[in-house]
Amino acid sequence: MIRLLYRFFEPQKGEIFINNQNISEVQLESLRKAIAIVPQDSVLFHNTIFFNLHYGNLSKTKEEVFAAAKIANLHESILMWPQGYETQVGERGLKLSGGEKQRVAIARAILKDSPILVFDEATSSLDSITEHNILEALRRASKGKTSIYIAHRLSTVKDCDEIFVLENGKLAERGSHSQLLSNPNNLYSKMWSMQQWATSDEF
C-alpha cells in the first residue's frame, strides 16, 4: 500500500487521492517530498551524529537540527556524549542502540517537514520500555500531520483514528481500537489478547 502511495508502481484498478489530488497527475518529486518515512532499520553513515541527523534535510540550520533532536527525545542524550553532536556513530551506526537509531530516523523525518509521515515497524525491534519512549517521540513528531503506522505490535497503533487489519494480502477488518475490541471473536481482538498476555509474561 505504501509503495502504491509512493508510486513505485501504479494501481491496476482504482485511483489514489491526497488532499483531493489524484497522485497519478502530480510530479513524482512533488509527491515524494510530501511523504517522510521512518523505516524499521534506518541507514546511518560513518560520520558524526550531527551529519546523520542533518541528512534528513541539508538545507536546515544547526538550530533546526537541534530542535528536531529534542522532539525525537535524542538531544539530551547527545549532550551527555564525550563529543556531543560531533560524536562519530561508527560504521552503520554500530555505536548507537536500537532506540537511538530510531530517534535519528524520527528526527530526519521531522527535518523533512512533510505533511504525511509513514512509520514502518518503527518499534518492532525495541524492548517495552524503549518502545514507550519512542511512541512518545512519534506522537510529538506527528502532531498536525497525517500519520500512517505499519505495525505488527498493536500497542503502536492503538491510538490511531482508524486501523486497517490485513490478512493474506486483503483487508479483513477496519475501525478504531475500541471498535475492533468490541468484538472478542475478530482477528484484531485475538491478536491484542495474545500480545497483552505475552507482554505480561515478560515481567
Side-chain angles (χ1 to χ4, degrees):
M1 290 169 70
I2 299 304
R3 290 189 185 109
L4 284 168
L5 191 61
Y6 265 102
R7 281 186 61 196
F8 289 144
F9 51 84
E10 304 293 344
Q12 294 175 323
K13 292 181 181 178
E15 296 172 311
I16 302 169
F17 288 81
I18 297 177
N19 199 25
N20 295 320
Q21 281 187 291
N22 189 327
I23 66 169
S24 67
E25 297 174 0
V26 301
Q27 294 179 343
L28 269 180
E29 184 183 3
S30 173
L31 172 67
R32 292 174 183 173
K33 273 186 177 178
I35 307 169
I37 189 161
V38 177
Q40 184 175 1
D41 183 24
S42 73
V43 176
L44 298 181
F45 302 100
H46 190 11
N47 208 310
T48 65
I49 185 66
F50 179 84
F51 176 87
N52 276 282
L53 291 165
H54 201 195
Y55 184 74
N57 187 338
L58 295 172
S59 68
K60 296 293 185 180
T61 65
K62 184 180 287 189
E63 287 69 30
E64 287 172 316
V65 173
F66 295 159
K70 287 177 182 176
I71 295 171
N73 200 18
L74 187 61
H75 180 73
E76 296 301 324
S77 297
I78 293 173
L79 292 181
M80 294 172 66
W81 298 349
Q83 270 111 17
Y85 276 86
E86 294 305 307
T87 303
Q88 295 283 330
V89 302
E91 192 72 37
R92 295 183 63 82
L94 63 86
K95 294 183 180 179
L96 303 185
S97 68
E100 287 166 342
K101 287 180 182 178
Q102 285 303 110
R103 289 184 178 96
V104 169
I106 293 166
R108 283 176 174 174
I110 293 165
L111 282 173
K112 190 175 179 184
D113 196 25
S114 300
I116 300 171
L117 286 173
V118 178
F119 301 103
D120 185 5
E121 294 282 5
T123 64
S124 63
S125 59
L126 308 176
D127 60 78
S128 298
I129 295 172
T130 307
E131 179 199 21
H132 174 76
N133 293 333
I134 291 293
L135 285 175
E136 285 299 313
L138 294 184
R139 289 187 187 101
R140 285 195 294 273
S142 59
K143 191 172 182 180
K145 299 180 183 294
T146 297
S147 305
I148 302 170
Y149 292 80
I150 304 166
H152 285 90
R153 197 180 282 188
L154 301 185
S155 54
T156 307
V157 301
K158 68 182 182 69
D159 294 327
C160 291
D161 296 312
E162 187 161 21
I163 299 166
F164 296 86
V165 184
L166 302 180
E167 185 179 27
N168 299 322
K170 294 183 179 180
L171 180 64
E173 298 157 6
R174 65 186 291 183
S176 67
H177 177 71
S178 58
Q179 287 170 340
L180 289 168
L181 284 185
S182 65
N183 181 356
N185 296 315
N186 68 19
L187 180 61
Y188 185 88
S189 292
K190 290 174 182 176
M191 288 193 296
W192 177 261
S193 296
M194 287 175 65
Q195 291 185 15
Q196 292 299 104
W197 178 82
T199 302
S200 62
D201 200 43
E202 289 177 7
F203 298 99

